[in-house]
Amino acid sequence: MGPIATRRAMLAGAASAGMLPFLRMPGARAATPGELTFGLSSFPPSIQPWQNTGTAAATMKLLMYRGLTSYGPDGALRGELAESWQPIGTQGWEFKLRDARFQNGEKVTSADVKWTIEQIAAERSTAYFRAEMQGVERVETPDDRTVRIFLKAPVATLPVMMASYHLPIISRNSPRGQFVGAGPFILKAQERGVSLEFEPFTGFHRAGLPKLKKLKAIAYADENLRVAALRSGDVDLIEYVPWQSMDAITADPALSLDTVDGAFMFLVFNGGRPPFNDPKVRKAVAHAIKREDLVRAAFFGRGSPLQQLPIAESSPFYNPEYKDGWKYDPELSKRLLAEAGHANGVSCSLLSTAQYGMHKDTAEVVQQHLAAVGIRAELNMPDWATRVAIGNRGQYELAVMGTAADSNDPDGIANFIDGSLAPSYVRSYGLKIDRITELLAAGRAEFDDTKRKAIYREMEGVAIEQVPMVGLTWRSQGYAMRKAVTGFRNLPGALTFYSGLTFETTEVA
């Protein structure tokens, strides 16, 4: 057992034996029926509706905002602010809005949808989906309940895109600098860096929901303290259950654990400058990592190696011929480095974060494996908010990332590999591979699934050679809760981080 695994095992033993101190965090309280306290993995850097600042922030946004579509507990796409939708030819979609209201009491109208799309697509916008919304040619609003979105090119996946927690519909009458949404909970108070408090929105469009009287989210950046808070009763439910604690939580009769596989770890590059502007060097990195070691050290065996693009094996779009596309082959890594003119190796920085154990441990194992092939990586592990900011600015050379796809459709991984999109910490910086962009656009525009499969198969073949990202591991992603909590569900596959949708049906006795 290596030093990382040994240290993590000791923590696991301490947690299961109850040796970790059950420290009281600000706002901790005894359980109250109808009031739920949620242990967040980090305080959101921002909860602006259209920005991507991580999954803790996304969960908070799912409380406050809603889009045209969303997902049911089974992961199926469902209507949200739209009750139905249908294509108009190949380049248009018509959405019929339901009778819903924003939290300011005003009705959700087609004008609000049009305004939202215009804000996201604006020249100075920092929205995650800015490039996609700039692909909208025009938005028609024939009446308050009908909105027609026409695109510059066919987009078969627009209804799926509109389910993203980064694409909520916001009231066009929101006060300047504020954002009024149509979600089930209203943000009533927040203590910066510590907690956020929510109350139910009585005008929510689903009758009888939400069921909670109050929801308080408290940030526990230390994952072991987050577990301790759950086990001591300070919180009712936690996200990002650390893998070393899963067995102890499963064995605790007062708690339940809900896990799914769907999130994954990967590496991104700064492709705008040497050495990672060279695909041979990127491919050398891809073949240098022994992923089984990562699964053991960072995830206590609760995961599996990922040696291709993150398309689940259960997906009809999975390509088994690429299963070992980036298999562990250190001799190949050394050869590729030599061919790229780096026979004596390279030195670089490796960005991660110390705030999440999985990111920290992944970075440490990757560092060891890279060193074995001559890539000397110096670790930089700031807090999560700083890591996001550094990633967005491209102030790194190589970086560890971990998340889930935007959806279970193969287009859901476009944001990780399409270098034509605006800079984001979730994808390689300054790395534009034209053929991948072209094939993603072709897949997005194709309504025939057989033809889509062929397009994505070709796209993955290009990705294996050009390496816009490096798949590392699939990982089990868990929520844990007291047995008194019902109605909350971990959504399947890539949708695990959309589980906050089910807070609307959550109850606590």
Side-chain angles (χ1 to χ4, degrees):
M1 184 179 291
I4 297 168
T6 303
R7 174 170 52 82
R8 299 289 278 171
M10 289 173 63
L11 282 173
S16 61
M19 292 165 61
L20 290 171
F22 293 154
L23 299 183
R24 297 274 165 176
M25 295 291 285
R29 91 296 175 255
T32 303
E35 298 185 6
L36 183 136
T37 303
F38 176 45
L40 272 176
S41 58
S42 65
F43 190 87
S46 165
I47 49 174
Q48 290 197 11
W50 305 312
Q51 291 184 351
N52 179 358
T53 57
T55 53
T59 302
M60 298 299 94
K61 293 195 296 185
L62 288 172
L63 298 175
M64 303 160 61
Y65 311 123
R66 282 293 187 268
L68 290 178
T69 57
S70 70
Y71 298 100
D74 60 351
L77 190 69
R78 70 178 183 186
E80 189 65 41
L81 298 182
E83 59 186 5
S84 65
W85 56 92
Q86 62 181 2
I88 308 171
T90 60
Q91 290 181 226
W93 287 91
E94 180 180 271
F95 293 84
K96 288 289 188 181
L97 304 183
R98 69 173 74 249
D99 186 13
R101 293 186 179 273
F102 289 112
Q103 293 175 355
N104 58 10
E106 296 179 357
K107 284 194 173 186
V108 177
T109 70
S110 56
D112 297 297
V113 178
K114 183 176 187 290
W115 179 84
T116 293
I117 291 173
E118 289 170 347
Q119 300 310 301
I120 293 172
E123 195 59 40
R124 295 187 178 180
S125 164
T126 57
Y128 188 60
F129 278 94
R130 175 174 171 248
E132 289 87 345
M133 292 302 100
Q134 286 181 331
V136 173
E137 186 174 67
R138 69 185 187 278
V139 180
E140 295 180 356
T141 55
D143 58 62
D144 280 356
R145 299 278 290 275
T146 306
V147 58
R148 295 174 184 148
I149 302 171
F150 292 91
L151 300 123
K152 297 172 184 175
V155 179
T157 57
L158 187 70
V160 175
M161 194 182 299
M162 287 297 176
S164 172
Y165 37 47
H166 303 311
L167 269 175
I169 304 304
I170 301 299
S171 169
R172 69 190 189 284
N173 294 320
S174 296
R176 185 173 179 83
Q178 298 180 36
F179 302 94
V180 178
F185 293 91
I186 299 172
L187 178 63
K188 300 300 290 187
Q190 62 176 307
E191 185 177 350
R192 189 72 190 167
V194 177
S195 64
L196 304 98
E197 295 187 32
F198 299 87
E199 292 181 359
F201 171 42
T202 55
F204 187 55
H205 59 266
R206 289 199 172 87
L209 300 180
K211 294 185 176 182
L212 292 171
K213 298 175 185 177
K214 181 180 177 181
L215 190 154
K216 185 169 186 176
I218 302 177
Y220 289 82
D222 184 301
E223 59 188 20
N224 294 301
L225 293 183
R226 193 158 64 248
V227 172
L230 176 69
R231 299 187 70 186
S232 66
D234 282 352
V235 300
D236 304 296
L237 186 153
I238 62 172
E239 65 171 358
Y240 273 98
V241 177
W243 291 264
Q244 73 270 20
S245 302
M246 287 183 177
D247 286 347
I249 288 172
T250 301
D252 191 327
L255 305 177
S256 60
L257 176 69
D258 189 354
T259 63
V260 300
D261 289 337
F264 54 92
M265 302 301 292
F266 60 108
L267 297 175
V268 293
F269 303 95
N270 187 329
R273 59 177 187 241
F276 298 117
N277 60 339
D278 187 334
K280 287 188 175 181
V281 180
R282 299 195 298 270
K283 199 171 182 184
V285 170
H287 288 286
I289 313 302
K290 191 174 183 181
R291 290 157 176 86
E292 291 83 356
D293 287 0
L294 272 177
V295 173
R296 285 193 297 269
F299 303 106
F300 284 71
R302 290 179 177 261
S304 58
L306 174 59
Q307 300 178 146
Q308 62 185 120
L309 291 182
I311 299 173
E313 196 168 343
S314 59
S315 168
F317 296 92
Y318 177 72
N319 297 308
E321 63 266 43
Y322 297 124
K323 183 177 182 180
D324 298 320
W326 293 321
K327 67 180 179 181
Y328 177 59
D329 190 340
E331 294 308 312
L332 175 57
S333 293
K334 293 174 185 176
R335 267 200 321 275
L336 288 165
L337 285 173
E339 290 172 12
H342 302 290
N344 295 322
V346 298
S347 296
C348 65
S349 61
L350 175 57
L351 174 65
S352 186
T353 177
Q355 190 162 330
Y356 290 95
M358 60 177 173
H359 284 258
K360 182 176 183 290
D361 291 347
T362 296
E364 290 173 344
V365 174
V366 166
Q367 181 191 38
Q368 293 170 12
H369 292 174
L370 291 179
V373 301
I375 301 174
R376 299 170 293 277
E378 182 178 352
L379 295 182
N380 178 20
M381 293 199 281
D383 61 64
W384 176 249
T386 304
R387 186 261 174 269
V388 170
I390 291 172
N392 285 334
R393 293 194 297 263
Q395 295 174 327
Y396 68 94
E397 292 175 288
L398 181 62
V400 170
M401 256 306 296
T403 189
D406 290 335
S407 71
N408 282 326
D409 187 273
D411 192 49
I413 66 169
N415 275 314
F416 309 118
I417 57 177
D418 187 352
S420 71
L421 301 176
S424 170
Y425 72 100
V426 304
R427 57 181 162 266
S428 292
Y429 189 88
L431 181 53
K432 189 174 185 296
I433 302 167
D434 291 339
R435 187 58 182 155
I436 287 179
T437 298
E438 292 165 5
L439 289 166
L440 286 169
R444 198 174 297 126
E446 181 54 65
F447 285 74
D448 183 282
D449 275 356
T450 300
K451 293 178 181 177
R452 288 188 87 211
K453 287 177 185 177
I455 291 167
Y456 289 121
R457 185 177 297 112
E458 181 183 349
M459 184 274 293
E460 184 161 17
V462 175
I464 293 295
E465 293 303 313
Q466 295 293 314
V467 199
M469 61 171 281
V470 173
L472 295 176
T473 64
W474 293 103
R475 68 178 201 241
S476 182
Q477 193 71 32
Y479 293 85
M481 63 207 82
R482 296 195 301 115
K483 287 286 175 66
V485 176
T486 57
F488 183 90
R489 182 169 178 186
N490 195 349
L491 297 192
L495 301 177
T496 178
F497 294 128
Y498 284 83
S499 300
L501 286 166
T502 67
F503 273 125
E504 66 188 40
T505 55
T506 299
E507 297 181 83
V508 58

